Amino acid sequence: MKNGFLIVISVFLFISCSEKPKAEQNLTVKNVMDDVITRLYKQVSPEKYNTIDDAFMFQFLSDEEKSILATKYQYFKVNVPVRVSLMRDVKQATIPFWLKEAGFKNTGKKVKNEVFEYEVWQKDFEAGWVNLGIPGFDMDRTIFFITVGAKNKEDKLKITDRYPAKHSLGVMKKGAFTYHDWDGLKIIEFPKELEGQVLFTTVRGRAREAHVEGAFRKTNFPSSEKPDQILLTWSKNPVNSVDIQWRTNPSVKDGIVKYWLKGKKDTLFADAEISVMEDRMLYNDRYVNRFAAHLKNLNDDSIYAYMVGSKNSNSWSDIQIFKTEKKDQKKFSFIWFGDTHKAKGWGEMLQMANKQHPEVTFYSIAGDMVSTGLYRSDWDEFFGVTKDVFSYKPLMAVLGNHDRQDGLGTWMYYQIFSLPKNGPKKVHEESTYAFEYGNALFLMIDSTHPMEDQTEWIEERLKNTKATWKFVMFHFPPYNFEEPYFEYQKTWVPIFDKYHVDMVMSGHIHYYMRSKPMRNGKVVKSYNDGTVYVISIGTKSRDREIGEEPYAEKRYADGQFYQLMSIDGNKLTFTAFNKEGKPVDEFLIHK
Ligand SMILES: [Fe+2]
Ligand SMILES: [Fe+2]
């Protein structure tokens, strides 16, 4: 049967290959690199991966592959003759292999932004196509960018058929930015001749498109047939639903949840959606299948037992349990963490907290769950250190800057977490969302997304809730000693004040701070009149002094912490514990 299937596939491939000339098929850098890496995994043994350099790549690549890498990284059409200036980081060790060959010359001129210096390479092109190649097989995140200007000043330059089209065209001038994932980085110096030219913006993540030198990674937690990384979240009402997610290796082609009320015999089933997750540079586990099932119509205040597995392979998880919320519940508790960065030490603290507080109903993390958001090995570590905690206690988290990657997005996070799709229209679904548990409203905000798209939604949500408690969580803390976020203080804090948000929970700065009650940027007498801003850190904090913060009630420069929030009607007890499980900060709000 298997062989027959392979023959059918081969015939199909042969037919589809013979329909198109070979040169037209793999015209993108991505396709070439996908093929190259696949071939490399077949022909080269893992111990050699980290010795791969430019010389190796030249003998490994076909001429056709080289030509695509030299021309298809970036291209566009111009209507008049132009001069293209390519700004290359002076610290990049290797000059892109195609640059000189294509006729670009180093002019000796310099462009600077606030952090980096670039040398200016130039080439003149006639009207027609301009084709540029990859930045290199290394990964210099200070990736090259270009400006284009008409050769004759009277000509009106038009640029069309741009690839990639998604990054905007700007104007070369002082204060211009080049990288969308670091738009605060501004040009400060450049040769006068570039002034007013068309500036092609980019993202630093493009440095990874052909990255092979030192790029290969191994996961310590490879997938298998047996489901693992089982994760509970709530995309809908915690009273009668739950989302269950897990992964397997690619041999498992379908997913199903078997569940039953604990102690009862009737078994229910829910099918799972399946998606493939690829991390090309993860040589011992490049592909995994991810599953997500949404269980609905559950009884409230009930304990269910469940297993996840597959109809077609007989591989099932161990039995686990989850608990639905009691309707109109007024008493519950949860634990939240600041940045966790998939750290082993944080995992140990989580295990301890989980033992010490079996009563908590869910966990939360204020962003930077991992360190490099598009390395699946990071997420594998994350689940590795959390063990099975999130398979019986849901995790409701928000994104931090580290969960994204150099402007390439956050797609692994979206694929792993099934979260409410009730955020602002202009924000990616599941990035910013709201949920209610008991008598509390939680606004979970993606602060890596521009504020202006979210402000109205925040106000709407706060205005329309009947919840007793209003909590807001986002990664970047409005008040902190190091890098105060004045834009949040100006735009969001007045809304928090107007609707009396009880607590704003954040991370990012890697220390612990609990503010006094604050309103309108000033300390007020009681938490009934003001909001408490808390910053915490789940992994090991950075080792350094903390500066002046007149609004702070309690601070710790170093340590690792978790916060237990216990709600009982109109009473909230907040306790921060250190890694040893010792309470280090406590206060009470009584409404
Ligand atoms: Fe962080
Ligand atoms: Fe951060």
Side-chain angles (χ1 to χ4, degrees):
M1 182 62 197
K2 239 183 187 170
N3 285 343
F5 180 67
L6 281 180
I7 290 165
V8 173
I9 291 268
S10 327
V11 170
F12 172 75
L13 282 178
F14 177 75
I15 293 169
S16 56
C17 290
S18 61
E19 276 172 1
K20 262 187 186 175
K22 198 162 179 266
E24 277 180 33
Q25 289 167 39
N26 295 321
L27 285 179
T28 69
V29 168
K30 181 176 183 320
N31 288 350
V32 166
M33 291 311 296
D34 280 348
D35 290 352
V36 166
I37 302 298
T38 303
R39 203 160 77 231
L40 211 133
Y41 286 150
K42 281 188 193 142
Q43 297 176 7
V44 182
S45 59
E47 62 273 15
K48 298 223 172 84
Y49 294 158
N50 282 334
T51 64
I52 289 172
D53 56 10
D54 272 48
F56 172 91
M57 289 308 287
F58 290 132
Q59 55 81 25
F60 194 75
L61 293 168
S62 70
D63 287 345
E64 191 193 1
E65 285 166 343
K66 274 182 218 161
S67 125
I68 291 161
L69 297 183
T71 55
K72 296 292 179 187
Y73 169 79
Q74 182 171 19
Y75 51 86
F76 50 92
K77 236 174 170 176
V78 290
N79 62 326
V80 294
V82 293
R83 176 163 293 174
V84 174
S85 301
L86 182 148
M87 274 49 89
R88 192 186 83 89
D89 175 20
V90 295
K91 289 200 177 129
Q92 185 187 23
T94 315
I95 296 169
F97 75 91
W98 54 274
L99 196 62
K100 280 184 188 160
E101 220 172 282
F104 274 86
K105 291 206 166 63
N106 188 355
T107 60
K109 294 166 190 163
K110 293 277 153 55
V111 167
K112 286 181 190 167
N113 58 33
E114 291 149 323
V115 182
F116 305 107
E117 187 178 316
Y118 304 80
E119 50 192 33
V120 181
W121 292 64
Q122 289 180 330
K123 184 188 169 183
D124 292 344
F125 288 82
E126 291 303 320
W129 286 106
V130 174
N131 287 70
L132 304 170
I134 57 165
F137 299 111
D138 58 359
M139 191 188 64
D140 185 62
R141 291 164 84 212
T142 314
I143 199 159
F144 78 68
F145 63 93
I146 61 165
T147 65
V148 179
K151 286 216 64 189
N152 304 314
K153 286 221 164 100
E154 308 78 56
D155 282 348
K156 204 166 163 26
L157 169 63
K158 262 198 203 138
I159 292 167
T160 54
D161 302 279
R162 238 172 0 111
Y163 175 83
K166 62 181 168 195
H167 305 133
S168 54
L169 295 178
V171 176
M172 185 59 162
K173 59 180 179 191
K174 260 193 190 169
F177 79 91
T178 47
Y179 306 121
H180 286 273
D181 53 307
W182 192 356
D183 57 7
L185 184 67
K186 309 286 190 197
I187 300 279
I188 53 169
E189 206 182 301
F190 56 88
K192 194 138 187 37
E193 65 187 276
L194 303 191
E195 175 106 50
Q197 288 196 345
V198 179
L199 168 67
F200 283 62
T201 60
T202 185
V203 292
R204 290 179 301 155
R206 296 210 73 197
R208 299 170 190 270
E209 285 179 27
H211 179 210
V212 286
E213 295 173 12
F216 293 88
R217 282 172 287 110
K218 183 183 177 185
T219 176
N220 296 322
F221 302 92
S223 60
S224 70
E225 249 193 27
K226 185 168 174 169
D228 64 3
Q229 301 189 350
I230 302 169
L231 167 71
L232 302 182
T233 56
W234 292 306
S235 70
K236 298 268 163 51
N237 191 350
V239 169
N240 55 23
S241 74
V242 73
D243 297 72
I244 307 179
Q245 292 111 131
W246 68 96
R247 74 161 190 178
T248 64
N249 70 16
S251 73
V252 180
K253 307 285 190 212
D254 73 287
I256 190 165
V257 180
K258 226 193 249 186
Y259 61 105
W260 58 94
L261 269 167
K262 206 173 170 224
K264 297 274 165 62
K265 285 210 170 111
D266 290 343
T267 305
L268 300 154
F269 295 92
D271 284 326
E273 294 152 20
I274 176 171
S275 61
V276 177
M277 183 182 275
E278 181 188 4
D279 182 347
R280 191 168 70 191
M281 306 317 287
L282 204 52
Y283 68 81
N284 65 333
D285 204 31
R286 176 172 175 176
Y287 300 98
V288 295
N289 281 342
R290 292 215 57 100
F291 299 89
H294 178 62
L295 276 50
K296 300 180 280 198
N297 304 321
L298 304 170
N299 297 352
D300 85 313
D301 195 23
S302 303
I303 297 173
Y304 284 84
Y306 75 97
M307 290 165 88
V308 301
S310 147
K311 278 181 246 174
N312 300 317
S313 93
N314 217 5
S315 192
W316 289 85
S317 70
D318 300 336
I319 296 175
Q320 200 45 277
I321 57 150
F322 65 82
K323 196 174 176 306
T324 52
E325 186 193 344
K326 187 177 161 188
K327 243 183 223 161
D328 302 320
Q329 176 157 268
K330 299 271 184 322
K331 191 173 175 188
F332 71 99
S333 62
F334 68 97
I335 282 175
W336 70 275
F337 300 94
D339 306 27
T340 58
H341 287 276
K342 47 92 181 164
K344 198 164 163 257
W346 163 65
E348 288 159 7
M349 184 167 75
L350 168 70
Q351 305 303 328
M352 185 205 60
N354 189 56
K355 271 204 195 99
Q356 211 163 318
H357 308 284
E359 73 283 8
V360 302
T361 47
F362 66 93
Y363 287 93
S364 191
I365 299 172
D368 283 3
M369 282 170 273
V370 297
S371 295
T372 311
L374 295 184
Y375 284 1
R376 211 205 71 226
S377 37
D378 264 41
W379 291 104
D380 291 353
E381 297 281 335
F382 178 86
F383 285 106
V385 303
T386 60
K387 302 211 165 81
D388 64 348
V389 172
F390 301 140
S391 65
Y392 53 91
K393 297 278 168 92
L395 171 63
M396 300 296 278
V398 292
L399 279 173
N401 50 313
H402 278 273
D403 304 312
R404 312 187 145 274
Q405 197 170 295
D406 294 354
L408 296 179
T410 324
W411 54 268
M412 279 194 184
Y413 170 88
Y414 299 133
Q415 218 175 333
I416 293 169
F417 291 88
S418 175
L419 293 165
K421 294 178 178 171
N422 58 10
K425 278 196 188 77
K426 287 187 183 162
V427 184
H428 194 290
E429 279 186 336
E430 303 174 285
S431 263
T432 289
Y433 62 93
F435 73 101
E436 292 206 0
Y437 195 97
N439 55 355
L441 168 73
F442 294 82
L443 297 190
M444 311 294 280
I445 302 171
D446 174 3
S447 56
T448 69
H449 186 98
M451 291 178 69
E452 59 270 21
D453 293 342
Q454 320 205 57
T455 307
E456 209 182 300
W457 179 88
I458 294 172
E459 176 141 25
E460 277 303 302
R461 286 284 167 167
L462 290 172
K463 192 197 278 177
N464 293 317
T465 184
K466 291 192 176 77
T468 309
W469 297 96
K470 300 182 193 91
F471 301 123
V472 178
M473 179 177 277
F474 55 97
H475 187 60
F476 301 129
Y479 298 99
N480 68 81
F481 77 92
E482 191 175 71
E483 199 186 345
Y485 289 93
F486 298 116
E487 60 276 27
Y488 294 133
Q489 296 180 20
K490 199 174 133 213
T491 312
W492 287 359
V493 162
I495 302 173
F496 300 158
D497 287 345
K498 187 170 168 192
Y499 299 98
H500 187 60
V501 165
D502 297 283
M503 187 182 295
V504 174
M505 300 168 245
S506 301
H508 187 58
I509 313 283
H510 291 211
Y511 72 120
Y512 180 90
M513 189 281 289
R514 192 241 311 176
S515 82
K516 294 176 170 137
M518 291 181 73
R519 194 176 173 82
N520 195 17
K522 293 185 186 78
V523 172
V524 291
K525 276 203 181 119
S526 148
Y527 287 119
N528 291 320
D529 305 321
T531 301
V532 53
Y533 292 83
V534 183
I535 303 170
S536 189
I537 176 70
T539 183
K540 208 172 173 310
S541 63
R542 278 183 270 180
D543 182 20
R544 61 177 167 182
E545 294 285 302
I546 47 182
E548 282 285 293
E549 284 179 309
Y551 47 78
E553 179 68 39
K554 194 91 183 184
R555 305 196 300 167
Y556 293 102
D558 55 21
Q560 286 177 247
F561 308 93
Y562 66 93
Q563 292 68 241
L564 173 69
M565 309 268 284
S566 300
I567 288 161
D568 188 356
N570 54 3
K571 230 167 70 186
L572 162 71
T573 312
F574 171 102
T575 318
F577 295 84
N578 67 9
K579 207 192 160 194
E580 287 68 49
K582 195 176 143 243
V584 291
D585 187 21
E586 190 164 19
F587 74 101
L588 186 95
I589 306 178
H590 200 156
K591 284 187 187 252

